[in-house]
Amino acid sequence: AMTRTITLLRPATLPRQTGLVGVVLSLIALRSQRLKLAELDDTQLRDIGLTRAEAAREAARPVWDSPLH
């Protein structure tokens, strides 16, 4: 089965941080986005082109499985 990579973005409301603080803040934001993704209903997921299974798979990824690495 083909899988799709989902890219979550750093919220624009957070100031850009550097170093360890920046990494930690980015990982916290990533975890928050993944949890919010899991809360979307089927209509919202369809609007962004994701299935329930794709959203659940993304939400279940550990924080260290990050596009920041």
Side-chain angles (χ1 to χ4, degrees):
M2 187 173 147
T3 60
R4 204 175 355 173
T5 300
I6 300 170
T7 303
L8 300 175
L9 304 175
R10 184 181 67 81
T13 56
L14 289 178
R16 181 168 288 282
Q17 299 285 331
T18 58
L20 181 60
V21 171
V23 171
V24 170
L25 289 176
S26 294
L27 292 175
I28 290 168
L30 176 62
R31 181 66 183 144
S32 175
Q33 290 177 34
R34 286 178 174 167
L35 291 173
K36 289 177 183 175
L37 182 64
E39 295 172 358
L40 297 179
D41 64 33
D42 290 334
T43 301
Q44 292 168 317
L45 289 171
R46 191 169 39 254
D47 284 347
I48 62 173
L50 296 177
T51 65
R52 169 75 43 212
E54 289 170 329
R57 191 169 38 254
E58 179 66 24
R61 288 172 61 184
V63 70
W64 58 85
D65 184 4
S66 161
L68 301 173
H69 292 106

